[in-house]
Amino acid sequence: MRTASGRGAGRATGRAAGLAEPRRAELFSLALRFGPVTRGQLAGWTGLDASTVTRSLRPLIDDDYLRESSPPPAGRSMAGRGRPVQALSVNPGRHVAIGVKLGPSTVSAVLTDLSGTVLARHAAPLASAEPATALATIGAVVDELLATFGSARQDVLGVGVGLSGHVDPESGSCRLSAILGWRDVPVREPLADLLDLPVVVQNDANTLALAEHWFGRGRGASTLAVVTLGIGIGCGLVLGDRLHTGERGIAGELGHLPLDPQGRVCTCGARGCLEALAGDAAICELSGCASVAEAMSAASERGASASSTRAREAFRQAGDALGRGLAGLCNLVDPELVIIAGESAAAFGLMEPAVRESLAVHGFSGISSEVRIEVDAGQEDLWTRGAASLAIRAGVGQL
């Protein structure tokens, strides 16, 4: 087995040796997120002097990680100098990254370039959630992706794995996942040995937060929360431009915020968690429908039939609980932006009036009118692209 500082930790290896130096990695990650950028912009953002920025970037340009644009039209030269400003952009094809979503019945994966653009995808059913079977299935899916796209292993920056539950990011182990039925399962090191690739593992909501922060709606926001709606309710946090997972990796467990001591029993065994009040199972039980999609259809019907009335009330109750949960989140973290995502994000519109009302009542000092709430209802590659973003972040040294 490899040590935490070796291949299994998912840190930069020979595949990205030019990014191993911290200052260079920081500059590269800024160019990746906000490019094309100028040296002056990088100097301003980092507080480094221009000569240090230029010196740090030279190896990345020489090794084709960064490319300079053609000189801009006349009149756009640097103030006081005759040299035209040249913008720097990341060469997205310099490496590929792989993102894996491990679910209870399926392993899904994508292969992306450094900009997070999906180049290939593959999925396979999971015969059993037993750890050995799950890891072997991940290995087969990754091999199939590489064969399909024609990438060699030395081109792969790393493999990111997202799964539901408490993941210890330092050890790369799953401490607890009710959905998978796992407790204290090593993931990173055995998978890195199997794949012979750098591997990094995180809670799946954290991978979405990272993807939104680097490549999505949260680009440019320094403090944001991504709240996922579905079977469970998850939350990934970015605080001060850094993914925040807490001391033991459980920061952002919004779904297990205790709201009602007399409420439904949650999958975690406690009573009245937000997830038990506003997750898919709660909506189905309250509406009498077999799925959230069926409940959405019933709630959208015109008129006041018994089924439509019951479905609307289900979304109202779920929205009220979600609003109280978001109020707690906003009161504690004060995010600039809250992004609603996940399999049931499309249902947020039916919950939103109750969410807003509840947030207005419980949010402190008028925060409900100031925090932005946006919905990312896109489903294709949602989780896997998030996991690939995790691999990209780790590969460029921004752990």
Side-chain angles (χ1 to χ4, degrees), residues 357-381:
E357 181 179 351
S358 184
L359 181 55
V361 170
H362 299 286
F364 182 69
S365 189
I367 195 171
S368 63
S369 62
E370 297 178 11
V371 64
R372 287 190 293 133
I373 300 178
E374 297 186 11
V375 179
D376 186 349
Q379 294 303 310
E380 187 176 33
D381 305 324

Side-chain angles (χ1 to χ4, degrees), residues 7-399:
R7 187 188 302 275
R11 298 182 186 274
T13 67
R15 297 175 177 83
L19 301 174
E21 197 274 318
R23 180 183 295 157
R24 198 174 296 146
E26 180 185 11
L27 294 169
F28 181 81
S29 69
L30 289 170
L32 179 63
R33 292 169 56 199
F34 301 114
V37 295
T38 66
R39 290 170 175 80
Q41 286 176 310
L42 292 172
W45 292 338
T46 60
L48 299 171
D49 61 72
S51 61
T52 300
V53 170
T54 297
R55 187 168 57 252
S56 297
L57 293 177
R58 176 47 54 191
L60 297 179
I61 295 171
D62 291 343
D63 205 19
D64 201 26
Y65 282 97
L66 292 176
R67 292 178 174 177
E68 295 180 294
S69 65
S70 300
R76 294 180 60 190
S77 60
M78 295 175 64
R81 299 189 185 184
R83 291 176 61 186
V85 175
Q86 287 188 310
L88 295 164
S89 298
V90 168
N91 171 15
R94 185 62 176 80
H95 287 289
V96 293
I98 293 173
V100 177
K101 172 63 167 80
L102 175 60
S105 60
T106 306
V107 171
S108 305
V110 294
L111 184 144
T112 77
D113 64 16
L114 288 182
S115 70
T117 300
V118 174
L119 306 175
R121 60 179 61 84
H122 185 62
L126 194 59
S128 163
E130 193 271 331
T133 300
L135 296 183
T137 305
I138 291 174
V141 168
V142 169
D143 286 344
E144 181 65 25
L145 265 182
L146 293 175
T148 299
F149 191 71
S151 284
R153 269 176 161 71
Q154 61 264 30
D155 297 327
V156 181
L157 191 62
V159 178
V161 179
L163 55 91
S164 173
H166 176 192
V167 176
D168 180 354
E170 288 300 315
S171 67
S173 297
C174 175
R175 295 277 296 275
L176 177 66
S177 175
I179 289 178
L180 293 173
W182 284 9
R183 183 181 289 275
D184 295 326
V185 175
V187 178
R188 187 187 66 211
E189 291 198 15
L191 191 56
D193 286 335
L194 176 67
L195 297 174
D196 193 27
L197 288 169
V199 173
V200 62
V201 187
Q202 263 290 1
N203 169 273
D204 49 12
N206 288 336
T207 72
L208 288 194
L210 181 64
E212 292 285 9
H213 184 227
W214 277 37
F215 303 121
R217 285 168 170 78
R219 195 166 176 251
S222 63
T223 302
L224 64 93
V226 175
V227 176
T228 61
L229 306 182
I231 296 174
I233 293 181
C235 178
L237 297 171
V238 173
L239 305 181
D241 273 326
R242 305 286 289 183
L243 184 66
H244 180 73
T245 60
E247 185 67 24
R248 287 163 289 276
I250 61 171
E253 283 293 345
L254 183 67
H256 299 291
L257 190 69
L259 295 181
D260 182 2
Q262 307 303 319
R264 294 174 184 79
V265 176
C266 182
T267 55
C268 72
R271 188 176 288 277
C273 294
L274 172 58
E275 185 174 299
L277 304 179
D280 285 0
I283 293 171
C284 291
E285 180 182 333
L286 290 168
S287 66
C289 295
S291 67
V292 172
E294 183 182 324
M296 289 175 63
S297 179
S300 300
E301 291 176 0
R302 294 188 177 184
S305 66
S307 61
S308 64
T309 299
R310 185 176 178 184
R312 288 170 194 151
E313 177 61 16
F315 286 111
R316 188 201 68 77
Q317 289 188 37
D320 175 71
L322 181 59
R324 281 182 280 138
L326 292 182
L329 173 67
C330 291
N331 291 347
L332 286 171
V333 177
D334 189 21
E336 174 185 346
L337 171 66
V338 174
I339 300 172
I340 306 295
E343 291 84 359
S344 296
F348 181 75
L350 293 166
M351 303 184 207
E352 188 169 7
V355 169
R356 297 282 186 181
E357 181 179 351
S358 184
L359 181 55
V361 170
H362 299 286
F364 182 69
S365 189
I367 195 171
S368 63
S369 62
E370 297 178 11
V371 64
R372 287 190 293 133
I373 300 178
E374 297 186 11
V375 179
D376 186 349
Q379 294 303 310
E380 187 176 33
D381 305 324
L382 178 73
W383 300 101
T384 48
R385 188 169 178 265
S389 300
L390 182 71
I392 293 169
R393 181 191 71 150
V396 301
Q398 295 299 290
L399 289 170

